[in-house]
Amino acid sequence: MPRPLASWLVAAVVLLSACGSTPTASTADPGVPQPGGTLRFAVSSDQGCVDPQQVGSNDTIFSLRQVVDSLTDQDPAGGELRPWLATSWESNADASSYTFTLREGVTFSDGTPLDAAAVKANFDAVQNLGARGTLPKGYLAGYVGTTVESPTRLTVAFDRPNVQFLQGTSTHSLGILSPATVARSDDDRCASVVGSGPFVIESYTRDESIVLAKRAGYAWGSSLWRSQGEAQLDRIEFRIVPESGVRVGSLASGEVDAIGNIAQQDEALLTAAGAQLLGRPNPGIPFGITFNQASPLGADPAVREAVSLAIDRAEVVATVYTSQTKPATSPLASTTPGYADQSALLPFDPARAGSVLDAAGWLPGPDGIRARNGTPLTVELTWYANSPANRAAVELIQQQVRKVGIDLQLREKPISENTPTLQSGQYVANWGNTTRADPDILRSTYSTAGNNYYRLPSGPLDEVLAQQAAQPDEAARAATVAQAQQLLVREHQTIPVVELTTVLGVAADVHGVAFDASSRIQLHDTWKVQP
């Protein structure tokens, strides 16, 4: 029998689905689905890779989620895991071993079977992924190997308890690719992949478009979908349109059918144009600032604390973001299982920020910018234009911290350079977020035993993050996750600012657009009213 999710996980995901006033799906009865047609979907950026196991940007995940199936699916309404490629699963007592039974008759789009050997090939190959494979490697932490017991039965073993692995099997990051695909190099996989999903990649033009075509004969959809057969749409065109105003105008004029990354000023325009606004809060790590602690400024606790104290999160949300957005109150978004409110440690207190810097020897200069031993307090913040609100958010934060004497210099980079930048260490501070419906995202991001892109020093946080990943007892794990959040905020290892809410603009004649548990979209059941 499937191992049930902890009750606190279920409760948190129910809360997630209930938050916000924007509907998560069309509210009017659309009638009988009409198959056929092409959905034209405008997104703001391209991560430069079409391998689901190597991408983390929502704009790119929107398309690749349609190409790859997963062992399980997570119900966005209640948080339970449901059958998809796996019809059943079970774990041993300490969650260090998981046995899956697979659905029969599943094939990849190249005609090869999706069997236990193919799943093993995927999990084995994840261990060899480079810097872009951070997410799947985190889900398989402590991986020992996969034993194939029959074409439809396999057991995945770890060298320690791994309680978050099962939720990881529902994500795009552990979506199953053909053995021929996973045998290729990381870069080759970024150019093309073969999956078993309801759509196949018809073409990919970097920074321009990803075009998907319906896969004929598909018959193994998630148990959460309306049907398990072929998709309703014939094709989906994901177009890269960086300018928010152009995306809005394209939807209003009928040039496209759906757009992502809605900005605050777009809401009224789209509503007036008759578009649907569909939204869902993202679980995981909120947008915020995290320093590279190998840099002199990142290693200075006074600078990190002062930046946190100088940011007025409520003003950032009210000025920049859509009406469903909330200020961050923890290193985890409030819709993440295991979230614990740390708002008492995240005050807006510019006077105290000044005092902290004074005590550390950062004193105001004639231009208002502080300096120490002749070195101005200039912090370079790297950010990415993968969200329409990012520019306005970091520019407002720049103004806020300037009032306490911090010169924040903004450095924009393409989202495709996010991972290489973090990996290289050639940055001082980074603006970003990560979506996942499990608190283990804290370990993947901040443990020094992993990639440690922020160059954090080893310390008590490492042990706490490791403990939560090995605790099958739900109450004990929740308490440990809360401790990790407190340590991160108290030491200003990261500075959370705002929780991301995914909001889409969708034409009135498009139906069946659905969010999954991680607030990414599922388009298998989507259809358009045909002319």
Side-chain angles (χ1 to χ4, degrees), residues 41 62 259-260 262 276-279 502-506 513 515 521:
F41 200 125
F62 283 173
I259 61 175
I262 302 300
Q276 309 170 75
L277 293 181
L278 307 180
T502 296
V503 182
L504 308 176
V506 180
V513 176
F515 290 103
I521 54 173

Side-chain angles (χ1 to χ4, degrees), residues 162-481:
N162 186 345
V163 298
Q164 53 85 40
F165 166 67
L166 204 53
Q167 191 275 338
T169 65
S170 72
T171 68
H172 70 282
S173 298
L174 289 184
I176 307 302
L177 297 165
S178 75
T181 292
V182 299
R184 299 165 65 194
S185 70
D186 291 6
D187 288 343
D188 286 346
R189 291 170 56 166
C190 278
S192 66
V193 296
V194 172
S196 65
F199 292 90
V200 299
I201 297 176
E202 181 179 290
S203 66
Y204 169 50
T205 305
R206 183 163 178 162
D207 295 327
E208 291 187 12
S209 66
I210 300 175
V211 180
L212 309 181
K214 178 170 71 176
R215 184 178 171 197
Y218 183 85
W220 42 83
S222 164
S223 58
L224 291 172
W225 298 351
R226 177 180 294 183
S227 77
Q228 280 68 63
E230 294 181 2
Q232 299 290 340
L233 295 165
D234 287 339
R235 298 173 77 248
I236 308 174
E237 296 177 4
F238 284 91
R239 302 177 183 177
I240 314 303
V241 182
E243 294 297 329
S244 174
V246 176
R247 290 195 303 275
V248 172
S250 297
L251 179 58
S253 67
E255 185 177 344
V256 300
D257 305 298
I259 61 175
N261 284 318
I262 302 300
Q264 185 186 69
Q265 67 273 16
D266 299 335
E267 292 182 289
L269 293 172
L270 290 171
T271 300
Q276 309 170 75
L277 293 181
L278 307 180
R280 192 171 191 278
N282 287 49
I285 293 177
F287 269 110
I289 296 173
T290 306
F291 278 85
N292 173 6
Q293 294 200 26
S295 69
L297 290 176
D300 189 332
V303 172
R304 302 197 306 269
E305 182 178 3
V307 169
S308 181
L309 290 166
I311 295 175
D312 185 346
R313 293 166 176 80
E315 182 186 44
V316 173
V317 169
T319 305
V320 175
Y321 288 91
T322 57
S323 54
Q324 304 82 21
T325 307
K326 298 195 303 184
T329 52
S330 165
L332 286 177
S334 57
T335 51
T336 315
Y339 158 81
D341 187 354
Q342 306 296 325
S343 55
L345 297 174
L346 295 168
F348 169 52
D349 192 340
R352 187 172 147 201
S355 298
V356 168
L357 291 172
D358 287 342
W362 291 103
L363 303 178
D367 59 353
I369 298 300
R370 293 174 179 269
R372 183 170 66 187
N373 300 326
T375 301
L377 184 45
T378 298
V379 177
E380 184 182 73
L381 177 66
T382 301
W383 68 281
Y384 311 89
N386 60 324
S387 168
N390 279 354
R391 177 183 297 278
V394 296
E395 288 180 347
L396 179 53
I397 291 170
Q398 182 183 46
Q399 296 171 26
Q400 292 177 343
V401 301
R402 177 68 174 77
K403 294 176 182 176
V404 302
I406 299 173
D407 175 27
L408 192 68
Q409 293 295 313
L410 305 179
R411 179 175 71 156
E412 180 182 1
K413 283 200 164 192
I415 187 61
S416 59
E417 295 185 22
N418 180 22
T419 300
T421 298
L422 295 177
Q423 184 182 31
S424 71
Q426 299 302 307
Y427 70 99
V428 176
N430 190 71
W431 172 260
N433 79 313
T434 306
T435 295
R436 192 190 173 189
D438 191 281
D440 193 64
I441 192 63
L442 294 177
R443 182 184 58 84
S444 304
T445 306
Y446 301 114
S447 171
T448 66
N451 290 311
N452 195 18
Y453 288 150
Y454 299 114
R455 279 73 179 172
L456 271 60
S458 60
L461 177 65
D462 288 324
E463 183 177 351
V464 172
L465 292 174
Q467 286 176 354
Q468 63 79 31
Q471 286 174 324
D473 181 84
E474 59 186 73
R477 190 185 185 207
T480 307
V481 170

